[in-house]
Amino acid sequence: MKHHKIFLPPEDIYPIDDWRIVQKSFSEKYLAQDETLFAVGNGYLGMRGTLEEGVPCAQRGTFINGFYESWPIHYGEKAYGYAEEGQTMVNLPDTKIVKIYVDDEPLALHVADLVQYERALNMKDGILARSLVWKTPTGKEVQIKSKLLVSMEYRHLALITYEVVVLNASANIIISSKLIHDDDRVVHADDVHDPRKAGQFEYSVLSVEHDIVQDDRIVFGYKTQNSGMTLSCGMDHLIETKNQYKRKIERAPHEGKCVYTVFAQEGQPFRLDKIISYHSSRRADPKDLCNRAERTIDQAITMGTDRVIQSQKDYMAKFWNLSDMEISDSDYRTQQVLRFNLFHICQATARAEGTGVGARGLTGSAYEGHYFWDSEIYVLPFLTYTEPRIARNVLKFRHSKLDQARERARHLNQKGALYPWRTINGNEASAFFAAGTAQYHINADIMYAVRKYVEVTGDEDFLFDCGVEMLIETARLWYDLGCFPKYGDGEFRIHGVTGPDEYTAVVNNNLFTNMMARENLRFAIDTVRRMQKERPDAFVTIQRETQLDMNELDDWQRAADHMNIPYDEVLQIHPQDENFLKREIWDLEKTPIEKFPLLLHYHPLVLYRHQVIKQADVVMAMFLLGNYFTPEQKKRNFDYYEPLTAGDSSLSACIQGVLASELGYYDLARQYFHHTVLMDFGNVAGNVADGAHIASMGGCWIFVVYGLAGLRDYNGQISFNPHLSNGMTFLKFSLCIRDAILRIEITPHETKYLVTEGDFLTITHKGETLDLKQGEMVVRRDQ
């Protein structure tokens, strides 16, 4: 990312606060990125941080994880096996809008005279709050305080509290609480130049199928045009005031609103609590979903809004107990943005049940809400070590899509199963096969995540109930995909694939792919044989259901044992693929800064002809499978590939930083740490307006734990080799390892280990084996 600048928002507007993202004055200049930074969600439901008034607005957005519209992919020249159906996460009806008029004067922040203003995302409590004093043209000062939360505890529930007080006069106030569905008929994705952005539809996706309009309540039921998915969204209101007021409810084709006319007396508050519910389904009747939304709303009313707010605080307290990272750094904003990254991972995953984790979570529409390898390689490590229940849910989602992966493999004339490169519903949605479908490593990435999850948690029930079936089918794919060439040297080779680096596509023997495939094959062999021995009854069932011939294991073993691992004896490095070193080197230093990212300024074929890397590829292999490289090989590989890496992916900096730290390039590692931790808050990629980079946020945790603390967990063996970056004086975090909770404290001169839960844990500290017992702190001082 050295070719990408950090754009920190000004500190006088966005002050440093360890537990909050704070905006002290409104600036329209930062509106689009604010809508991402202040987004709230729970992994099922997400809402961009748009203003309550609805205007000004850059990108309105309310999303449900896994709720999509499908559409046919059109090709100028189509070929056999191309993906046929696109999927796009639907921008849902907006229930956040609360407009206010004082003596018929509307509040619009970009033109309002604001005497006081603060907006703050409280990450400790999971609540977005705003407080302002507006001076109207007639001199009346109106104080407005609001809170917004998407409930972590109650998956389908959101809540807004909105309180208005006229401080120095009486006034006539109108408050209009809306549920609005915009009919945005814009261009489709084919016409969008930036492939990372999502297009819009040329038709109205949602049709109203049912509605309930009664008292202070409005509920709409919808159905999508093509995917047939159904949705309900509803709102109800509770009023608390001593002021006189009138209520009017209105219903239009794409809008419902409750309008309150308040005769406000000086100093007398008017409080509106807006209870919101969303439900979705692949097949349920919209009327039934409306009934579910009503039940959710009724439950919240019965509980009371104070209990809903307290449940949010309780959930977040449990989250931070295991997931928090305390850090002391000469860059005083580090603590704030580190927690900001962890908080957004929580918002993207907490209630992601029966779904994956989108590349931008539920903070924006970029990448159309699709799930990639990001989930398994960048987000799952954090979840596995801090929220194993959620990690299991994400992996179970992959298992639930195994039949579709089998079908996709058949479409590509292969045996076994091939998981889609990008998807929502389990079907391949990538129309660009060179940088999409050709990334067969997605199979091995998922199996790698399964292995890490099982090793760290000890959840062998998942391995044998779900994992083994995925392992059998992915191993079959690898053996069928590769070959022992007739005139070869006896090595197993995998041709026509793309590794993580999307600037080098459809190559032979990509190092990362081959090494990960080898791990996949070996893990499959080991798991099948263990199951046969340890769970013979279950093995008989899985053997029958998968039609497994035990002779297949011999084939897999032969392929793994003879896997081609590219190595150049002259340079003594591992080529990224067998022809990579034969290409012309791209001079990144002479490339104008305005030409980054390269993918927006150069034809793919131009990139494919050069040694230029979008994101870590060989370096990624050295991180995930570092036990197969010698220290000397790691250094030579890193030194060669570092100058070739454009860092045009938000996924690159964290991995390069971990390896830089391991190799002793501490100044470079610190640069990568800043780019990683500030990816969204500092708008490093230049597109935070389109949503948060959830995988990079996972990469932030990876950098701290694997880079600064030096965690390595090969084959389930936990070891640490800590080294804080210059300027850092303290780091503290926790890991959940099997039945134990391990707390680690690191300073430049010593490391402390304490098991707070669980009886016993064995780890390694800089080569020394430590047997840790609950409650007994072990301290190791550096010489």
Side-chain angles (χ1 to χ4, degrees):
M1 301 297 294
K2 54 182 176 289
H3 305 288
H4 300 256
K5 295 182 179 179
I6 296 174
F7 297 96
L8 276 175
E11 198 170 312
D12 59 321
I13 300 178
Y14 301 87
I16 296 172
D17 186 307
D18 285 354
W19 280 106
R20 301 188 306 157
I21 301 299
V22 183
Q23 183 187 44
K24 297 296 289 184
S25 62
F26 176 75
S27 173
E28 198 169 2
K29 176 181 178 181
Y30 302 104
L31 180 66
Q33 71 183 55
D34 284 345
E35 292 174 358
T36 294
L37 300 183
F38 290 107
V40 293
N42 64 7
Y44 169 74
L45 173 64
M47 298 177 171
R48 281 178 63 80
T50 49
L51 301 172
E52 288 92 328
E53 298 75 36
V55 290
C57 177
Q59 294 183 38
R60 184 175 295 165
T62 299
F63 307 101
I64 285 178
N65 193 355
F67 190 87
Y68 68 94
E69 173 67 322
S70 56
W71 43 274
I73 299 175
H74 298 291
Y75 298 93
E77 298 180 20
K78 188 176 180 180
Y80 179 81
Y82 278 19
E84 297 181 349
E85 179 188 87
Q87 307 135 36
T88 299
M89 182 170 65
V90 178
N91 198 340
L92 306 178
D94 190 354
T95 54
K96 299 189 299 295
I97 297 176
V98 181
K99 289 182 175 289
I100 183 170
Y101 306 81
V102 177
D103 296 333
D104 292 328
E105 183 72 24
L107 172 61
L109 294 193
H110 58 304
V111 294
D113 181 3
L114 299 177
V115 178
Q116 179 268 331
Y117 183 88
E118 181 180 279
R119 195 182 195 202
L121 179 63
N122 188 318
M123 299 176 288
K124 189 173 186 178
D125 295 339
I127 297 171
L128 175 62
R130 189 182 73 171
S131 175
L132 63 86
V133 176
W134 167 37
K135 189 174 184 179
T136 70
T138 58
K140 296 181 179 180
E141 293 188 354
V142 183
Q143 181 185 75
I144 303 173
K145 295 182 178 180
S146 63
K147 293 180 179 178
L148 166 64
L149 67 84
V150 174
S151 176
M152 300 289 184
E153 187 70 28
Y154 305 100
R155 189 171 185 244
H156 301 277
L157 179 67
L159 171 68
I160 296 173
T161 66
Y162 193 89
E163 183 178 276
V164 182
V165 182
V166 183
L167 299 176
N168 62 349
S170 59
N172 291 327
I173 297 176
I174 295 175
I175 297 176
S176 178
S177 175
K178 294 188 174 185
L179 186 164
I180 184 168
H181 173 215
D182 288 338
D183 185 17
D184 295 327
R185 303 188 184 199
V186 202
V187 295
H188 195 27
D190 292 345
D191 300 316
V192 178
H193 176 59
D194 187 342
R196 299 167 297 182
K197 292 180 178 288
Q200 301 294 320
F201 292 93
E202 297 174 343
Y203 59 91
S204 181
V205 173
L206 296 172
S207 61
V208 178
E209 303 289 320
H210 186 69
D211 66 73
I212 299 169
V213 180
Q214 181 180 337
D215 299 328
D216 296 77
R217 179 175 296 186
I218 299 174
V219 183
F220 285 160
Y222 301 90
K223 186 175 182 180
T224 60
Q225 298 295 322
N226 292 331
S227 67
M229 298 194 74
T230 52
L231 168 77
S232 69
C233 60
M235 62 180 186
D236 204 340
H237 305 81
L238 301 175
I239 306 298
E240 182 180 335
T241 186
K242 293 182 179 179
N243 296 301
Q244 293 183 346
Y245 70 94
K246 298 187 299 183
R247 184 205 72 226
K248 181 181 180 182
I249 193 165
E250 300 178 7
R251 200 278 197 209
H254 297 285
E255 179 178 304
K257 58 185 176 181
C258 291
V259 181
Y260 299 89
T261 302
V262 184
F263 307 101
Q265 300 302 306
E266 180 179 344
Q268 288 292 339
F270 178 88
R271 172 168 164 164
L272 176 148
D273 290 351
K274 185 172 185 177
I275 299 103
I276 298 165
S277 180
Y278 288 80
H279 283 260
S280 60
S281 175
R282 296 188 184 277
R283 59 183 69 86
D285 189 315
K287 183 177 180 180
D288 292 338
L289 292 184
C290 287
N291 293 335
R292 294 186 202 175
E294 285 209 279
R295 290 195 293 270
T296 299
I297 291 170
D298 289 341
Q299 181 186 18
I301 291 173
T302 300
M303 290 174 55
T305 54
D306 288 344
R307 281 184 60 189
V308 173
I309 292 172
Q310 187 58 49
S311 72
Q312 186 81 341
K313 294 179 179 179
D314 292 344
Y315 186 100
M316 293 308 303
K318 293 178 183 177
F319 169 78
W320 289 116
N321 182 53
L322 265 180
S323 302
D324 190 23
M325 291 179 152
E326 297 179 41
I327 193 167
S328 180
D329 189 11
S330 57
D331 182 344
Y332 297 110
R333 198 180 282 277
T334 298
Q335 179 68 82
Q336 179 187 32
V337 293
L338 181 56
R339 285 185 173 134
F340 168 77
N341 283 284
L342 301 178
F343 177 69
H344 268 288
I345 301 174
C346 176
Q347 292 200 129
T349 62
R351 302 306 303 270
E353 297 154 8
T355 64
V357 180
R360 300 298 181 97
L362 299 172
T363 64
S365 59
Y367 291 109
E368 305 192 85
H370 290 170
Y371 319 133
F372 295 79
W373 72 315
D374 305 17
S375 302
E376 284 74 24
I377 297 301
Y378 290 87
V379 180
L380 258 293
F382 167 77
L383 295 177
T384 296
Y385 277 106
T386 63
E387 295 278 1
R389 175 190 62 84
I390 301 174
R392 195 181 208 269
N393 287 341
V394 174
L395 292 173
K396 282 191 71 175
F397 167 75
R398 290 294 195 181
H399 178 254
S400 73
K401 302 301 178 184
L402 183 57
D403 283 342
Q404 288 160 274
R406 288 181 174 117
E407 184 178 356
R408 180 60 180 158
R410 289 194 292 273
H411 288 166
L412 271 69
N413 311 103
Q414 306 289 169
K415 298 176 182 178
L418 176 61
Y419 279 96
W421 177 242
R422 57 187 298 172
T423 189
I424 294 177
N425 66 3
N427 295 327
E428 179 64 81
S430 175
F432 186 44
F433 74 88
T437 298
Q439 296 203 51
Y440 288 84
H441 66 83
I442 181 71
N443 268 17
D445 303 332
I446 296 170
M447 296 306 99
Y448 181 92
V450 169
R451 180 175 182 176
K452 288 295 182 185
Y453 168 77
V454 173
E455 289 176 343
V456 172
T457 65
D459 186 0
E460 298 209 336
D461 285 342
F462 176 82
L463 176 63
F464 294 124
D465 291 345
C466 301
V468 67
E469 187 178 11
M470 293 190 286
L471 283 163
I472 290 169
E473 297 296 359
T474 51
R476 282 172 167 164
L477 183 284
W478 289 121
Y479 187 73
D480 189 53
L481 180 66
C483 65
F484 291 97
K486 183 177 180 180
Y487 299 107
D489 52 8
E491 291 190 317
F492 187 78
R493 297 175 177 271
I494 301 176
H495 297 156
V497 300
T498 300
D501 170 27
E502 295 173 0
Y503 288 171
T504 311
V506 194
V507 300
N508 295 341
N509 296 305
N510 169 255
L511 176 80
F512 178 87
T513 301
N514 284 19
M515 292 190 70
M516 291 290 283
R518 184 174 66 180
E519 286 298 289
N520 192 159
L521 290 163
R522 288 173 173 171
F523 187 29
I525 296 163
D526 178 68
T527 302
V528 170
R529 295 201 186 282
R530 281 189 55 207
M531 188 177 190
Q532 183 182 27
K533 180 180 179 180
E534 298 173 16
R535 304 195 181 190
D537 293 341
F539 173 76
V540 170
T541 301
I542 198 69
Q543 185 179 27
R544 181 181 66 251
E545 291 179 350
T546 60
Q547 299 181 6
L548 176 66
D549 183 338
M550 293 301 286
N551 290 324
E552 291 183 76
L553 274 64
D554 296 332
D555 292 336
W556 303 345
Q557 188 70 60
R558 190 163 62 97
D561 291 344
H562 296 86
M563 184 69 69
N564 173 263
I565 305 298
Y567 187 75
D568 186 275
E569 295 290 351
V570 176
L571 297 177
Q572 293 189 302
I573 65 170
H574 291 84
Q576 186 169 297
D577 62 75
E578 68 179 36
N579 289 313
F580 186 83
L581 300 181
K582 300 175 184 178
R583 302 185 183 101
E584 182 181 355
I585 293 176
W586 187 294
D587 193 339
L588 288 173
E589 295 302 324
K590 292 184 179 180
T591 303
I593 192 72
E594 63 272 13
K595 293 294 186 180
F596 292 91
L598 303 181
L599 63 95
L600 298 184
H601 301 281
Y602 297 92
H603 193 282
L605 289 175
V606 175
L607 299 173
Y608 297 166
R609 296 186 189 107
H610 289 82
Q611 292 186 50
V612 61
I613 300 168
K614 182 183 179 185
Q615 66 195 71
D617 198 303
V618 171
V619 173
M620 173 61 87
M622 294 195 299
F623 169 58
L624 296 182
L625 304 172
N627 50 323
Y628 292 107
F629 297 86
T630 67
E632 295 76 20
Q633 288 173 341
K634 288 181 182 179
K635 185 179 187 304
R636 289 194 296 268
N637 284 337
F638 187 87
D639 290 348
Y640 187 86
Y641 290 106
E642 165 66 15
L644 303 179
T645 305
D648 284 347
S649 167
S650 63
L651 305 181
S652 197
C654 58
I655 304 303
Q656 290 171 266
V658 170
L659 264 294
S661 182
E662 179 181 340
L663 295 171
Y665 299 146
Y666 298 123
D667 290 341
L668 179 60
R670 185 165 177 82
Q671 292 177 34
Y672 277 125
F673 176 72
H674 280 131
H675 276 85
T676 300
V677 79
L678 292 170
M679 183 62 63
D680 288 303
F681 194 81
N683 199 16
V684 175
N687 58 2
V688 69
D690 300 320
H693 298 77
I694 302 301
S696 179
M697 290 171 160
C700 182
W701 184 90
I702 287 172
F703 197 117
V704 172
V705 175
Y706 288 86
L708 301 179
L711 170 69
R712 294 297 181 269
D713 49 12
Y714 305 127
N715 301 314
Q717 303 300 309
I718 305 298
S719 65
F720 294 93
N721 187 16
H723 190 286
L724 298 184
S725 292
N726 294 333
M728 294 182 182
T729 58
F730 181 75
L731 173 64
K732 180 181 178 180
F733 63 93
S734 299
L735 301 176
C736 180
I737 303 171
R738 291 177 280 281
D739 296 325
I741 304 297
L742 175 63
R743 297 198 185 278
I744 303 104
E745 294 184 19
I746 304 170
T747 70
H749 305 295
E750 69 177 19
T751 304
K752 299 178 180 178
Y753 299 100
L754 177 64
V755 174
T756 61
E757 295 181 26
D759 295 329
F760 189 84
L761 186 64
T762 299
I763 66 168
T764 301
H765 172 86
K766 294 188 174 181
E768 177 189 1
T769 299
L770 303 179
D771 294 324
L772 307 178
K773 297 178 181 179
Q774 182 179 354
E776 298 181 6
M777 180 175 288
V778 175
V779 181
R780 285 297 178 266
R781 293 177 175 85
D782 293 333
Q783 301 299 321

